[in-house]
Amino acid sequence: MESASVRASTEDFRSAMRCFPTGVTIVTTAHEGRIHGFTVNAFASVSAEPPMVLICVNRAARAHPLITISQRFCANILALEQRALAERFAGGEPHSRFEGVDYRLGPSGSPILAGTLAHVDCELTEELTASTHTIFLGTVLEAGHREGAPLGYFDRAYRDFGIGV
Ligand SMILES: Cc1cc2nc3c(=O)[nH]c(=O)nc-3n(C[C@H](O)[C@H](O)[C@H](O)COP(=O)(O)O)c2cc1C
């Protein structure tokens, strides 16, 4: 099929995507003893058998080469009360992001943060290049959850969706 000659404007595209509510994760990885984490909301379930998820990562992110090299990542799904962590892991100096944060290393070797609503710890199954981003597909080695309310994100702001399990 020929590629379409018409494209939505970046502005229209961004305005449309702002209408899509999501949760918020901190994706972590580790390579040669160095841990890294960053805030991600481009996260989705792919299949249950086998258990697979995807994340979309900007190729300019420091996390990008680390995930490619380590072949591992963990998506930590944040609870409502963890908004400060979402903000911290979206900027600043990466080495200070984990200061005062409790975590354990999962089967993949990636940090599983304490107090999250859920986590899926993954080994990398496939990398798909998509313009400025890479889609990382992960097979889930360990999944866990607890009861609580999720941190939401909608229209460029963190939200309380008023829901919980
Ligand atoms: C709510 C929110 C969601 C984000 N989602 C993503 C995402 O899905 N993929 C991505 O590459 N960056 C995303 N970012 C941006 C990264 O968190 C940010 O660029 C971070 O500083 C990258 O860290 P690093 O370069 O140290 O790896 C998001 C930021 C925020 C605030």
Side-chain angles (χ1 to χ4, degrees):
M1 198 174 80
E2 275 183 39
S3 61
S5 55
V6 184
R7 292 276 187 278
S9 71
T10 305
E11 192 188 357
D12 285 351
F13 172 71
R14 287 197 169 133
S15 298
M17 295 311 294
R18 269 176 218 139
C19 298
F20 186 59
T22 70
V24 184
T25 75
I26 290 176
V27 169
T28 56
T29 192
H31 178 61
E32 292 180 345
R34 180 177 159 206
I35 57 171
H36 186 80
F38 69 124
T39 302
V40 166
N41 70 342
F43 163 75
S45 170
V46 173
S47 67
E49 292 180 16
M52 289 180 73
V53 297
L54 67 78
I55 54 172
C56 300
V57 179
N58 193 315
R59 292 202 283 155
R62 280 165 286 219
H64 191 284
L66 295 175
I67 295 172
T68 296
I69 293 166
S70 71
Q71 300 272 293
R72 303 280 188 270
F73 68 87
C74 179
N76 295 272
I77 299 172
L78 297 185
L80 183 59
E81 62 273 16
Q82 293 181 307
R83 175 183 173 154
L85 280 187
E87 291 169 343
R88 190 203 290 193
F89 278 76
E93 279 304 310
H95 66 263
S96 61
R97 291 177 189 166
F98 285 91
E99 269 172 26
V101 177
D102 281 342
Y103 65 87
R104 67 179 168 89
L105 298 181
S108 82
S110 308
I112 297 174
L113 307 185
T116 60
L117 207 54
H119 69 271
V120 285
D121 189 33
C122 304
E123 65 180 7
L124 192 62
T125 299
E126 204 170 331
E127 277 184 47
L128 303 167
T129 302
S131 64
T132 54
H133 283 59
T134 295
I135 302 167
F136 290 110
L137 278 166
T139 301
V140 180
L141 307 176
E142 181 188 297
H145 76 282
R146 68 169 176 88
E147 292 189 359
L151 179 63
Y153 195 76
F154 178 72
D155 194 15
R156 293 184 292 174
Y158 295 104
R159 308 280 179 171
D160 176 356
F161 289 150
I163 53 172
V165 288

